[in-house]
Amino acid sequence: GAVVSQHPSRVICKSGTSVKIECRSLDFQATTMFWYRQFPKKSLMLMATSNEGSKATYEQGVEKDKFLINHASLTLSTLTVTSAHPEDSSFYICSATRTSTDTQYFGPGTRLTVL
Amino acid sequence: GDSVTQMEGPVTLSEEAFLTINCTYTATGYPSLFWYVQYPGEGLQLLLKATKADDKGSNKGFEATYRKETTSFHLEKGSVQVSDSAVYFCALSGRGDDKIIFGKGTRLHILP
């Protein structure tokens, strides 16, 4: 149990377009989902925390208008990178928890390349 | 703020060698400590965790002991296998906090 999926696994887009990444908890209800960005040779950086039915909480330095997060149901959260630029190219990873004190279960990640 | 520092990689070992990946942390209070593993092409998986001082987390032959006096949580395995090749992340989570702070990761290559 506790499987988290992400879609797509890879996406290539042109500069200026928007890209939506989905994160789904397949076999449990996730009250909280997290979005991370992983830079090459660097750690995972938490971008935002989203609770079902409420607005996401963004970490300092993360532009909420650029990285739109929607946690519309207990099994789905989406991250939309708006007006993407080459510097947004990265590996985006989501995680989900049943409760705030539960283990985080991570998705396989989405590699975004902006040309 | 809280932070995690782990040894830089890549670490290359021969099969059956002894593995140590060092991890130290800075945190207020008493955080929970974790090791995550990321196999090629896959997402992060929780490998083991410890929630209080002197606890030992273990899984798949890997062990790590929560050492408060040295603020360390070093990962060890007595005999590594080729299938252990992956990136290993040390991480912490503060008490009452659901955020996880990760180290930079250590890539491990095991040669047959």
Side-chain angles (χ1 to χ4, degrees):
Chain A
V3 178
V4 176
S5 70
Q6 282 184 239
H7 178 80
S9 58
R10 290 178 179 271
V11 58
I12 300 173
C13 68
K14 292 182 178 180
S15 187
T17 60
S18 294
V19 174
K20 180 184 285 189
I21 302 170
E22 293 185 349
C23 176
R24 293 183 185 272
S25 56
L26 297 185
D27 52 2
F28 66 101
Q29 293 188 324
T31 57
T32 305
M33 288 185 169
F34 303 84
W35 285 96
Y36 294 84
R37 184 172 176 177
Q38 186 176 19
F39 294 93
K41 298 184 179 181
K42 292 191 177 181
S43 179
L44 280 79
M45 184 187 75
L46 179 64
M47 299 174 65
T49 303
S50 74
N51 293 294
E52 187 265 337
S54 60
K55 289 185 178 180
T57 302
Y58 290 81
E59 295 299 302
Q60 194 171 13
V62 178
E63 298 176 61
K64 61 182 180 182
D65 293 331
K66 180 166 187 63
F67 298 100
L68 300 178
I69 292 172
N70 185 356
H71 193 160
S73 76
L74 285 171
T75 59
L76 173 65
S77 176
T78 60
L79 167 68
T80 302
V81 183
T82 62
S83 186
H85 291 282
E87 58 265 29
D88 299 325
S89 298
S90 193
F91 197 55
Y92 292 88
I93 300 174
C94 74
S95 69
T97 64
R98 295 182 183 88
T99 68
S100 62
T101 57
D102 191 17
T103 299
Q104 288 188 30
Y105 299 97
F106 287 81
T110 297
R111 183 162 301 283
L112 169 64
T113 303
V114 184
L115 303 176
Chain B
D2 296 352
S3 66
V4 175
T5 303
Q6 61 183 105
M7 62 190 292
E8 299 246 353
V11 173
T12 302
L13 296 172
S14 296
E15 204 166 22
E16 299 183 2
F18 185 87
L19 168 71
T20 300
I21 300 178
N22 290 335
C23 172
T24 57
Y25 66 91
T26 302
T28 53
Y30 302 92
S32 294
L33 302 175
F34 310 86
W35 276 99
Y36 284 85
V37 58
Q38 186 177 28
Y39 296 104
E42 298 184 15
L44 274 77
Q45 300 173 27
L46 178 63
L47 180 60
L48 53 85
K49 69 178 181 180
T51 58
K52 62 182 188 296
D54 299 326
D55 268 2
K56 178 185 285 187
S58 62
N59 186 24
K60 299 182 181 180
F62 290 90
E63 293 183 339
T65 301
Y66 190 143
R67 301 285 189 201
K68 191 173 187 308
E69 63 275 15
T70 54
T71 61
S72 65
F73 193 55
H74 304 322
L75 182 68
E76 296 181 336
K77 186 173 184 180
S79 177
V80 292
Q81 306 300 313
V82 172
S83 57
D84 294 327
S85 298
V87 181
Y88 292 82
F89 292 88
C90 186
L92 69 82
S93 177
R95 290 281 179 231
D97 190 350
D98 51 12
K99 298 178 185 177
I100 297 180
I101 296 171
F102 289 88
K104 292 184 178 181
T106 303
R107 185 174 296 278
L108 175 65
H109 293 294
I110 305 300
L111 304 175

